[in-house]
Structures are given as structure tokens and as C-alpha cells.
Amino acid sequence: MFPEQQRVTQQIDHLMNVMVKSECEIRPHFFLTGPTGSGKSFLVNQVAKQKNIAFFEINAAQLTAEGLSGNSLSKAMRPLRQHWNQPNVIFVDEFDKLFQRNGEEAEHFRMNVQDEFLRVLESPYASIFTDYGKYEQIRVSNTMFIFAGAFSDQKIHTLDDLRDAGIRNEFVGRVPLVFYTEEVTLASMMEAIPSLKLLDDYLAIFPQIKKTRAIRDLTDMLRQEARNSRIGIRLMNSLVHQYFMKGI
């Protein structure tokens, strides 16, 4: 974990503890905002693993309205069928992308998708579209929803910020918490390079390359690339792949 992520990780850990200790009677759904590549999905997944909570991810940018072809919410939540009797976390990634479409048709779509999420948030059960073309009622009263997005790298810290971004009052009322993931600095990424698992995996199959040399070279690459990169901490693994592929 990077120093910039410590506080938000503690907050996520606290909320999951509340859900587990209350046996899912309390499910503090929340928004998780922050720059692209600041580790939102990774942090939630790591905390969930530590607590043995099932983790599922839905890409909101790929959702279609219910009844249309494509990946509707009832289809995206199919994994819940296997874990309906235990605490779950559904991480709704790129939720902000729902509000970056223009035009009357896009506005209608945004309203429909928000309504579909609201129905799930307000009910102990959700309709899941099965492989057999039928809907099945699955328990969601033990599921915490986390709505994440970069919001064009704006600093979204408050509920008012979310309303300004196009999220309706009814939705904010059901998801009343907002947490922000800070951008990881270049210095923090450079410090993390020696402990990258991907680096050790590559070194295990390229024993002729010394780790000290690889760290020095990767640090130089990171320093050069970070200024113009838009992918945040994903840049580290990307550079490791590039470093070991360049000799092919």
C-alpha cells in the first residue's frame, strides 16, 4: 500500500467491519472517487479478501438499459447467484461514465440506469437474468455497493459535488458517503519498484538480469514516463512488461 492510500484504506476497512459485525444489517454503501490509476478497485478488493468477503466488479460504462441487448444490470449481477448467502461487495467501476453522455437519449439512459440501481439498493432481493432466459430473485440484503469513478479527475469530495456531476438526490440519499483516493506520487511509485511482485516473477525466469540493475533501469524509465502518463500506478507494471520484452 502507498502512503497516499493509507487513510482511505482505513476508511474502507472500517465500513466493511461494520457490515460484517452487524451481520449485514448495516451496509454503508459509498462513492469512491479519485484520479485514474489511483488504485480504487485494487484497494477495495484487497480489503475484501482480508475479510473473506466476496468481491465482484461491474463496469458501469458497459451497462445497457434493462430490456435492451447488451449487459444490463440484471445480467452483470449474475455472480451473486453463487454467493447469495454470504457478505458481498459489488464494485461499480466507471460509474461517472454514465453521466458523460450528451443528448436527450443519454439523459433518458442515465435516469433508467440510476432507477435500476435504486431498486436494487432499496430491496432485499434483485432480479437476476439467468442463462435460461428467465429472471431469478437473489438476495442482495447482504451486499454492499461501492460506486467508483475518476469524474474526469475532478476532486469529488462531497455529496454536493456528486449532485453537480449529475447524480440524483434520490441516489445520493441511498449512498450518502463519499471517499477520495489520493493520487500516488512519483516518489512513492519509485520506492515501490523493488517490492513489485511482477518484477520478481520476471527475474525468476531471467536470472541473467540482476535485480539491482533492473530496479535502476525501471526507476529511470518511470521518471521519464510518469510526467505524461494518465494511467497512474498501472504504469509500474506496464514498464516492467516493457523492460523485459525489449530484448525480444
Side-chain angles (χ1 to χ4, degrees):
M1 178 179 34
F2 297 95
E4 295 85 356
Q5 299 172 331
Q6 185 172 355
R7 176 168 173 74
V8 73
T9 302
Q10 291 172 343
Q11 292 168 325
I12 294 169
D13 183 87
H14 174 70
L15 294 179
M16 289 195 190
N17 276 338
V18 167
M19 182 174 75
V20 171
K21 289 180 179 179
S22 71
E23 297 183 347
C24 299
E25 287 297 319
I26 304 173
R27 293 175 297 134
H29 311 301
F30 62 94
F31 292 96
L32 186 61
T33 67
T36 302
S38 55
K40 295 183 286 294
S41 174
F42 176 79
L43 291 178
V44 172
N45 195 2
Q46 288 298 105
V47 176
K49 280 183 179 178
Q50 291 168 7
K51 301 185 182 306
N52 198 30
I53 297 174
F55 172 93
F56 307 104
E57 187 167 331
I58 294 174
N59 189 319
Q62 298 174 355
L63 288 178
T64 58
E66 197 65 42
L68 300 179
S69 62
N71 193 35
S72 64
L73 182 58
S74 67
K75 295 175 184 176
M77 293 201 307
R78 279 177 181 169
L80 280 180
R81 296 171 65 199
Q82 301 173 12
H83 302 273
W84 63 269
N85 61 341
Q86 68 182 85
N88 298 282
V89 165
I90 291 185
F91 184 87
V92 186
D93 198 15
E94 296 195 330
F95 188 67
D96 56 314
K97 296 292 174 53
L98 293 177
F99 311 98
Q100 295 176 0
R101 309 179 185 189
N102 297 317
E104 185 176 336
E105 183 178 344
E107 178 64 23
H108 181 66
F109 169 76
R110 288 193 292 267
M111 296 286 282
N112 281 348
V113 174
Q114 286 189 71
D115 283 340
E116 288 162 16
F117 273 113
L118 276 172
R119 281 193 286 272
V120 172
L121 291 170
E122 293 170 349
S123 173
Y125 295 93
S127 293
I128 306 299
F129 192 78
T130 69
D131 297 330
Y132 304 103
K134 296 181 179 180
Y135 288 90
E136 180 181 347
Q137 292 295 306
I138 296 294
R139 180 186 173 195
V140 289
S141 58
N142 56 358
T143 300
M144 176 191 291
F145 285 84
I146 301 169
F147 298 90
F151 289 89
S152 302
D153 289 341
Q154 301 175 61
K155 288 195 174 184
I156 303 289
H157 290 283
T158 69
L159 297 179
D160 284 339
D161 294 336
L162 290 168
R163 292 188 187 96
D164 290 342
I167 298 177
R168 289 155 49 193
N169 285 331
E170 305 97 300
F171 205 96
V172 172
R174 297 295 300 172
V175 189
L177 300 171
V178 188
F179 300 103
Y180 184 79
T181 310
E182 297 286 347
E183 183 176 7
V184 176
T185 65
L186 173 60
S188 292
M189 287 193 284
M190 290 171 67
E191 283 187 22
I193 286 177
S195 59
L196 286 177
K197 181 180 182 300
L198 183 62
L199 173 58
D200 288 334
D201 290 343
Y202 264 117
L203 290 170
I205 58 175
F206 291 100
Q208 71 275 21
I209 299 178
K210 301 298 182 184
K211 186 170 184 177
T212 52
R213 173 191 157 193
I215 291 171
R216 183 182 65 247
D217 293 345
L218 285 166
T219 300
D220 289 340
M221 292 171 65
L222 181 61
R223 188 181 293 110
Q224 294 171 18
E225 297 290 334
R227 186 173 301 174
N228 297 318
S229 173
R230 301 286 297 170
I231 61 175
I233 58 177
R234 298 187 187 98
L235 177 62
M236 293 189 297
N237 280 351
S238 176
L239 292 177
V240 172
H241 285 302
Q242 293 176 32
Y243 181 72
F244 285 94
M245 293 296 105
K246 66 182 180 182
I248 295 178

